[in-house]
Amino acid sequence: MLDRNKQHRISGPGHGQALSADLYYDGAQNYSPYGPDYSEQDESFNPLKLLFYAAHYRWLIVTMAAAGLVAGVIVTMMQTPKYQATTQLEVLVPSAKVFQDIEVVSENADVRAFLTAREKLKSRALAQRVVFQLGLSEKPDFLFPTPDFSLSNIFYRAFRISKSPSIQETTPEEREAIAIGRILKDLTVNLVTNTSLLSISFVDQKPKYASDVANQVAQSFIDQRLDQTSETSDLARKFIQEQVLQVKQKLQKSEEELVAYAKDAGITITGGDKSLIGSNIEALNTALAAAIQERLDAGRVVDQIDKGRGSSLGPVLESEGLQKLSDRLADLTSQYQQKLGILKPGFPEMQQLQSQIKELQRLYNDGVLTITDSLRLKYQEAQNKEDDLRAKLAEMEKQQVVFNDKNIKYTILKREVDSDRSQYDSLIAKLNEVGVSSELKTQSAAIVDFAAQPELPYSPRLSINLAIALALFMAMSGTIIYLIELLNNTFTNPEQVEKELGLAMLGILPLVDDRELVASIADQKSGLSEAYRSLRTSLQFSGAEGAPRSLLVTSSEPSEGKSTTSFKLGQDFAALGARVLIVDGDLRKPNLHRLFGLDNTIGLSNLLTNTVRKEDLAGIFRATKYPNVTVLTSGTIPPNPADLLSSPKMALIMTNLGKRFDLVIIDAPPIVGLSDAPILSRLAEGTLMVISTNQVTRKSAKAALKRLRAAGANVVGAAMSKFAVNKFDYNYAYKYMNYQYYNYGTSTAKIEGKVDDGAGQPAYAKSPAFSRLVRRVRFSIGGFLDRAKSIS
């Protein structure tokens, strides 16, 4: 590796201090030998790529957008203006029943009514009625309008030329059919959401026709419904009148049969459809229920008496005589108890009180007995009454059985009479209602808002056409960009090299005009020189021990800038104090001697074929005007370059040269079609691939890299040449390649390699702004030609 023992020669910016690889690498296990591995990078979608492509193909997008706007205007001019008028019609759903036996209309029926009304408005019968009312079958401009979309419309709209169609060649039936078809085609009816309104719209080339037809459709719908209602009412009235006569005769006959049967069977009806026996049974059942309740109440009282609780019964307690006896008995008993403490029971006064108490007690008991006997008698009477009622009810039930046998036919006749009477009453009511409704003629719809004559056309709309055309052309531009990117098999940006080849991008070399290339290489402050110094720095950090001691510079195809890269890298490494040898390994079409301004009399081929004298050996390695740079030209072109390069002597020469020089750079021929570069790659510690922008195909670059790796080459990375870093699209995607950044400390003219001082030129030509403008125009044209060449 370069400077593995002389790190003081290639130092960083820190005041000449040597840079150690340990300061820039955390560990070899985290990195591949030369640069990161791009083969496994995340290929997820990046939205910034869309912006990059938009910037890259900005002129195509602008052109397609302009074409879309022009197409939108042309399409608008080719369309015939149309006017739209709208009438709002309210559908009145009946909230009351038409006849007594029809219930209120449900919500679902309301929805059906709206949908039915909408379909009727779009019916052919209603359209025919509108044509007749407005006389549209006799109006040529309505029957034969201007074509909706035609190239001739541009002239009609530009020069106000109108057609004068004729209706003489068509029959009245054909004209009527045409007019009806136009109404059905251009009429739209929509239900306004959450309302009972219908929106009736008509579109026509004449604003007057648009409003007249919309209003007439609504009015004809109302008139049609009224005519249908009136006609239906007349037919219903006639039909009901006939039914009334028939039902009336049938009712009279059924009544006569009922009366005759009742008379023959002796059936007496008391009113309310009840017979006399039924009424008596109902009365007996009521009286029996009352007697049973009375007997139960009396039985409970007798039960209390039997249990010895007669004195506590209500009638006993409510008796005034017994109450007085009870009070008197209590008073005498109290007196007796009071005197018992003073007098003995045998004392006359005490005996007298005892006899009075006994007498009162006897009278009280007799009174209680009398009342309880009366209650027992009442209970007995209730039992007798209940028995009598049960016997009478049983007798009446027997009579009812006999009556029911006779009443079966009577009931049948009676039901028939009731049915005929109900039908007769219903028909009379319907007849009255039909008569009233036919006189009222209630409307089922009403016009809420009449259509006004429109002032501005409804179609075409320039804004909508422009938006649609712009969207279509933008989609076409996206498709074109996709196809271009799909068919473009060259490299346009460094990211593609890293993705397709899996190589580390060590340097990006800007595109310089051929007339300014020499001056840019000579100027150490030009953008190209700075790019090569950046490439040199990347090579210094391409390996764990620095740059390779021997570096092979090659490319896939000719004219990709490998010789210039070898030439410039040799100068840049020599500027760091390293002894550099540049070997022209292209024994077929050598070019390195021209860059150094040397002759190619003897060189590498002579050294390999032993056709050089010993005294001339020292002259093969030529010093150049650049310090520390030595050149070994290719020499005489041999007939068998591959055999010479693959000989053991070539390997021995490279080994010896590696000992004499710090860095050996080999300018190798292209890889594709030749075996020279793979042979030389095995002799070098590292190989650098130069890939030109918009020139070499991706397939060719992949094949070249595959050949190098098959030969055992150590490909340290790639350098992308001829990259237009001053383009807007590339500058946006790769900010680190800003061309203005390279132009430090000098004017634009010096960066571009202008050797002269501008003497004799106009004042505006010396202006940096003018020079920058000229350069941008020049590079824009050059970039367009490069892309056209790559696509072709």
Side-chain angles (χ1 to χ4, degrees), residues 114-132:
F114 299 145
L115 297 178
T116 302
R118 185 182 67 179
E119 296 302 322
K120 286 186 176 180
L121 285 167
K122 297 164 62 177
S123 64
R124 186 177 183 84
L126 186 64
Q128 185 177 12
R129 190 176 186 127
V130 173
V131 170
F132 176 76

Side-chain angles (χ1 to χ4, degrees), residues 16 22 58 103 118 257 268 277 300 310 312 316 323 361 409 534 539 578 590 631 634 661 668 769 782:
D22 296 338
R58 58 190 179 276
E103 297 299 330
R118 185 182 67 179
E257 291 178 355
T268 303
I277 298 175
R300 283 191 293 271
S312 62
V316 175
Q323 189 66 32
Q361 185 68 39
K409 186 175 180 181
S534 177
L539 287 172
V631 176
S634 62
F661 295 92

Side-chain angles (χ1 to χ4, degrees), residues 464-526:
I464 295 179
N465 288 343
L466 290 178
I468 295 175
L470 188 61
L472 291 177
F473 275 77
M474 287 297 98
M476 291 175 58
S477 65
T479 304
I480 294 174
I481 292 173
Y482 176 77
L483 293 177
I484 291 176
E485 288 295 322
L486 190 64
L487 297 176
N488 183 13
N489 58 353
T490 62
F491 295 98
T492 59
N493 57 72
E495 182 180 331
Q496 294 175 346
V497 176
E498 296 172 346
K499 180 180 178 182
E500 297 289 340
L501 303 182
L503 293 178
M505 183 53 58
L506 301 181
I508 301 176
L509 309 177
L511 176 64
V512 179
D513 190 85
D514 294 339
R515 295 170 294 180
E516 302 173 354
L517 179 60
V518 177
S520 296
I521 293 176
D523 187 1
Q524 295 301 318
K525 293 185 178 181
S526 66

Side-chain angles (χ1 to χ4, degrees), residues 518-651:
V518 177
S520 296
I521 293 176
D523 187 1
Q524 295 301 318
K525 293 185 178 181
S526 66
L528 183 61
S529 297
E530 182 63 26
Y532 275 112
R533 285 193 292 271
S534 177
L535 175 60
R536 177 196 64 187
T537 304
S538 299
L539 287 172
Q540 288 180 274
F541 295 100
S542 61
E545 298 182 3
R549 289 289 297 270
S550 56
L551 178 66
L552 177 73
V553 180
T554 183
S555 62
S556 303
E557 297 177 357
S559 302
E560 293 194 58
K562 55 182 178 54
S563 297
T564 304
T565 301
S566 302
F567 172 76
K568 190 62 177 173
L569 283 178
Q571 296 180 28
D572 292 337
F573 275 105
L576 298 178
R579 293 172 301 168
V580 180
L581 173 64
I582 304 177
V583 179
D584 193 347
D586 191 351
L587 303 183
R588 302 174 187 271
K589 294 182 180 180
N591 186 45
L592 198 59
H593 63 281
R594 296 189 182 92
L595 296 177
F596 284 97
L598 303 174
D599 63 86
N600 196 22
T601 306
I602 58 175
L604 178 62
S605 61
N606 304 97
L607 190 61
L608 293 174
T609 57
N610 294 322
T611 57
V612 60
R613 296 176 298 179
K614 291 183 178 182
E615 58 270 18
D616 294 333
L617 286 176
I620 292 180
F621 299 94
R622 304 181 186 184
T624 64
K625 62 180 180 179
Y626 305 102
N628 297 329
V629 177
T630 305
V631 176
L632 176 59
T633 60
S634 62
T636 305
I637 298 177
N640 54 347
D643 295 339
L644 295 178
L645 295 177
S646 61
S647 63
K649 192 170 184 178
M650 180 65 188

Side-chain angles (χ1 to χ4, degrees), residues 234-409:
D234 293 339
L235 294 175
R237 183 169 58 254
K238 293 179 181 179
F239 174 76
I240 294 174
Q241 286 177 349
E242 295 176 357
Q243 294 295 318
V244 167
L245 294 177
Q246 296 177 6
V247 173
K248 182 178 181 181
Q249 295 175 359
K250 186 177 180 181
L251 176 61
Q252 292 177 352
K253 182 178 179 181
S254 60
E255 287 179 343
E256 291 175 356
E257 291 178 355
L258 178 63
V259 172
Y261 178 77
K263 183 178 180 181
D264 294 341
I267 297 175
T268 303
I269 303 300
T270 60
D273 297 338
K274 292 183 180 180
S275 64
L276 183 59
I277 298 175
S279 301
N280 291 337
I281 290 176
E282 183 177 355
L284 286 175
N285 283 324
T286 303
L288 179 60
I292 292 174
Q293 185 63 38
E294 183 180 356
R295 191 257 306 168
L296 292 175
D297 294 339
R300 283 191 293 271
V301 173
V302 172
D303 186 59
Q304 294 291 330
I305 295 173
D306 294 340
K307 292 180 180 180
R309 301 175 184 174
S311 58
S312 62
L313 296 176
V316 175
L317 297 177
E318 293 173 358
S319 176
E320 294 182 1
L322 293 178
Q323 189 66 32
K324 291 179 180 181
L325 289 175
S326 177
D327 294 341
R328 179 61 179 166
L329 181 60
D331 182 47
L332 291 177
T333 304
S334 176
Q335 292 178 10
Y336 180 79
Q337 292 294 332
Q338 291 177 358
K339 291 181 179 182
L340 186 60
I342 302 173
L343 300 178
K344 295 182 178 181
F347 197 74
E349 185 178 357
M350 298 296 290
Q351 291 180 355
Q352 185 178 1
L353 287 174
Q354 288 180 359
S355 60
Q356 290 179 359
I357 290 172
K358 290 181 180 179
E359 182 62 22
L360 289 175
Q361 185 68 39
R362 186 186 62 78
L363 292 176
Y364 181 79
N365 292 336
D366 292 342
V368 172
L369 181 61
T370 301
I371 293 175
T372 55
D373 290 342
S374 65
L375 293 175
R376 289 179 184 275
L377 182 59
K378 185 177 180 181
Y379 172 70
Q380 187 64 35
E381 290 177 354
Q383 284 183 334
N384 295 334
K385 183 179 179 181
E386 180 181 354
D387 293 340
D388 293 341
L389 288 174
R390 289 182 183 278
K392 187 63 176 177
L393 182 60
E395 181 181 355
M396 295 302 296
E397 288 177 350
K398 292 180 181 180
Q399 295 180 4
Q400 181 67 29
V401 171
V402 177
F403 174 79
N404 288 339
D405 294 338
K406 297 180 180 179
N407 193 45
I408 293 176
K409 186 175 180 181

Side-chain angles (χ1 to χ4, degrees), residues 138-267:
E138 303 299 327
K139 296 180 179 180
D141 52 349
F142 182 82
L143 296 176
F144 307 104
T146 304
D148 294 340
F149 187 82
S150 175
L151 186 62
S152 58
N153 289 337
I154 299 178
F155 302 99
Y156 296 151
R157 297 181 66 178
F159 302 104
R160 302 295 180 181
I161 300 176
S162 60
K163 288 185 176 182
S164 56
S166 176
I167 62 173
Q168 303 299 327
E169 299 178 357
T170 58
T171 62
E173 291 78 9
E174 293 176 346
R175 294 196 297 270
E176 181 180 1
I178 294 174
I180 293 174
R182 279 219 56 204
I183 291 179
L184 295 178
K185 176 185 176 182
D186 299 327
L187 180 68
T188 57
V189 182
N190 296 315
L191 177 63
V192 181
T193 308
N194 297 327
T195 65
S196 59
L197 300 179
L198 291 176
S199 177
I200 305 172
S201 301
F202 187 76
V203 179
D204 194 84
Q205 298 176 4
K206 302 289 184 181
K208 179 173 175 54
Y209 286 153
S211 58
D212 290 348
V213 172
N215 291 328
Q216 187 59 46
V217 168
Q219 188 61 47
S220 298
F221 174 76
I222 296 174
D223 297 340
Q224 186 184 52
R225 295 293 296 271
L226 291 177
D227 294 344
Q228 292 176 352
T229 302
S230 178
E231 182 179 357
T232 303
S233 299
D234 293 339
L235 294 175
R237 183 169 58 254
K238 293 179 181 179
F239 174 76
I240 294 174
Q241 286 177 349
E242 295 176 357
Q243 294 295 318
V244 167
L245 294 177
Q246 296 177 6
V247 173
K248 182 178 181 181
Q249 295 175 359
K250 186 177 180 181
L251 176 61
Q252 292 177 352
K253 182 178 179 181
S254 60
E255 287 179 343
E256 291 175 356
E257 291 178 355
L258 178 63
V259 172
Y261 178 77
K263 183 178 180 181
D264 294 341
I267 297 175

